[in-house]
Structure formats: C-alpha cells, structure tokens
Amino acid sequence: MDTIGFIGLGIMGAPMAGHLLDAGYSVVTSDHRGKPPADLVAKGLKAVTGSNAVARAADIIITMVPDTPQVEEVLFGENGVASGLSKGKLVIDMSSISPIATKEFARKINDLGCDYLDAPVSGGEVGAKAASLTIMVGGEEKAFDRARPVFEKMGKNITLVGPNSVGQTTKVANQIVVALTIEAVAEALVFASKAGADPAKVRQALMGGLASSRILEVHGERMIKRTFAPGFRIELHSKDLNLALEGARSLGVALPNTSTTQQLFNACAANGGGKDDHSGLVKALEIMAGHEVGK
C-alpha cells in the first residue's frame, strides 16, 4: 500500500486521516503546527518536521487546509511539499480553493515529474466522520485511478469531473447550491415562525413534500434547536462564495442570489458569528425580522 502524507488535521482532515489509518495505510503528517491528535497517533500516525519531510516520506501527499494561500504555502513555501518531491509521486489537494490558482499549482507540480489532483469534498464534519464524503476530482485519469482506493476510504460519491481545476469549479458550484438552499430554508422558517406557526412542525410537514432536502433536514433542525457549533463555518462558506463571485466576474456571469447570500454571511460575521455553523445564516434574517425562530 502507498504511504500517505496528510497535511491539515482539522475538523475534516482528522477523521479523514483516521479512516486511512483504519484501512491499514501508513500515514505521515507534519508537526510544525503542534502535536498531531493523540487518537491518530495511537492508531499509528507518524509525525515529521516540515511539509518537505512529509513529501519525502510519502508516495501520495494530501493537503486539507482552509484556503488558497495556505495551500500555496504548504506546497511551495519554505520547506514546502514541492521541495521534498521526487518523480512519480502524487499530490492531492482536498481543500476548497481557487480554480484559477489550482491550474498554476498543478502545472508546477507536473513540472517536477509528479501528478496532481484537485479533489475538494462536500459533506462536512458529519460526512468526514462517516467516510461518506462526496469527492469532486480534477486531473488526469491515470492519477485518478491511482488515488481512487484512497478516496474510497474517505467518501462514497467519487467523480472525475474533468482536468485540473474542474474539481474546484465543481466544488464552487456545490457551495452556491448549498448556500442558497440554507438561505431559502432560513427564510421559510423565519417567515413561518413570525407568523405564529411552530417551526418544528412546519419543517416536519415540508420534509414530506417537494421542498424536502438534506439541508432542510439537518440545517433546518439546527436553526430550530439553535445548535450552531460547526460543522462548516460561516467564514469558510463565505470564502467559497467569494471564489464564486470572483469567477463570475472573470466569466461575465451574473450570480445575483449568490451575492445576496454572501452579504448575509457577511452580516453574521459582523455580528460575531463567523465561526458559527453555516446554518447560522438564519441569524442575519432574524436580525432583520426582529424575531428569532422558535420564539
């Protein structure tokens, strides 16, 4: 089995790496940001100093960090992955970052004689823990075939959607759909609650009709029960919508509802909610309505 380097053991990355360890893979990480999670060390996770040392020790290197600048730093910064690569290795970025930057990152890694896949995921912390993530992959088919057994330990719906950067483009599209659906659910529950209806019963009724969705099921419940611990943070979803709007400007495409939803995320962040789960978007609507769902 390939040795896996895994950089980025956060809310999503830690359980993803755990599944690889459970499957029998040797997994190596960097200790430059502190000690790795004790539960993963107990499963056999090894720590080395520097991302370049991770690259030297591993056959496949996975990055799972918050944003484009962090991916660039991990790959090409001082003691970065690129300086530890040798020909024939595979770099997989599973972060959600700029499709434009991804093309350049892939070119630089390819120039070193290595393959590159952009493979962002959807499913949040729940999907990461359950190994049920959707994985959207951009890159060459031979690299995808090599990576597929690794992906299958972390996700269920795994699709090669096109060349490098198309995985990231697909993730941006996913984040548009998710954000706008959260906004629609929030509007519906604020409206129903302020009109005097029981939002829990409204949600139950809607789950049996065409309005039913995974977001109504999971995030609608969060809005009603006021459980806004992430999950997937508003500040990260806002970052993804920024990518959508930047891409839209470059393409000459109008995304009016994406823009509106981004402003609602901004309002939440301005009121101290940037680290809330993205279902916390409902708070921006509640401020404007002068009414909290369920009250």
Side-chain angles (χ1 to χ4, degrees):
M1 299 174 76
D2 286 317
T3 296
I4 310 297
F6 206 111
I7 300 172
L9 299 176
I11 289 175
M12 303 271 296
M16 292 164 68
H19 294 311
L20 297 176
L21 288 162
D22 290 340
Y25 284 98
S26 295
V27 181
V28 181
T29 193
S30 172
D31 62 6
H32 78 289
R33 291 192 180 275
K35 293 182 179 179
D39 61 324
L40 297 185
V41 173
K43 291 181 177 183
L45 178 70
K46 298 180 176 64
V48 295
T49 300
S51 298
N52 54 352
V54 174
R56 284 193 292 269
D59 305 298
I60 297 174
I61 301 92
I62 295 173
T63 55
M64 185 63 175
V65 296
D67 202 351
T68 307
Q70 286 79 28
V71 174
E72 184 171 24
E73 177 64 23
V74 166
L75 293 181
F76 306 111
E78 185 178 2
N79 299 320
V81 166
S83 63
L85 290 174
S86 54
K87 288 185 177 181
K89 296 196 175 188
L90 171 60
V91 176
I92 306 173
D93 178 39
M94 302 189 77
S95 320
S96 296
I97 68 167
S98 164
I100 296 171
T102 292
K103 284 186 179 181
E104 181 64 13
F105 297 167
R107 184 191 64 78
K108 288 181 177 181
I109 296 299
N110 292 159
D111 286 347
L112 296 172
C114 299
D115 289 318
Y116 188 95
L117 295 174
D118 48 291
V121 302
S122 179
E125 182 183 11
V126 172
K129 288 182 174 179
S132 61
L133 293 167
T134 291
I135 306 176
M136 305 155 246
V137 188
E140 295 293 329
E141 188 167 1
K142 64 181 178 66
F144 175 74
D145 290 342
R146 178 180 178 184
R148 190 177 186 98
V150 177
F151 289 148
E152 287 174 345
K153 301 300 182 288
M154 299 181 284
K156 299 296 184 186
N157 181 20
I158 303 160
T159 307
L160 178 64
V161 290
N164 283 131
S165 84
V166 177
Q168 293 294 352
T169 297
T170 305
K171 177 58 187 291
V172 170
N174 177 85
Q175 296 303 78
I176 292 171
V177 172
V178 171
L180 270 60
T181 308
I182 289 174
E183 197 279 336
V185 169
E187 278 196 18
L189 292 180
V190 169
F191 167 77
S193 179
K194 190 157 187 180
D198 180 340
K201 291 183 178 179
V202 170
R203 172 182 164 276
Q204 181 181 354
L206 295 178
M207 284 297 297
L210 191 59
S212 177
S213 71
R214 181 67 172 159
I215 287 172
L216 177 62
E217 178 187 356
V218 175
H219 294 310
E221 184 176 47
R222 280 177 171 267
M223 294 171 194
I224 293 164
K225 293 186 175 180
R226 319 307 290 174
T227 51
F228 297 122
F232 187 70
R233 300 193 301 274
I234 280 174
E235 62 189 7
L236 293 179
H237 206 149
S238 179
K239 174 263 296 185
D240 291 341
L241 294 194
N242 277 333
L243 294 175
L245 295 170
E246 288 170 5
R249 282 191 292 272
S250 69
L251 294 168
V253 173
L255 300 178
N257 292 325
T258 300
S259 180
T260 299
T261 304
Q262 174 70 315
Q263 291 302 317
L264 294 172
F265 279 142
N266 289 344
C268 290
N271 283 275
K275 297 190 182 302
D276 284 349
D277 183 79
H278 51 177
S279 59
L281 178 144
V282 71
K283 293 181 180 180
L285 296 170
E286 290 171 340
I287 290 169
M288 290 188 285
H291 175 82
E292 183 179 299
V293 169
K295 290 293 181 67

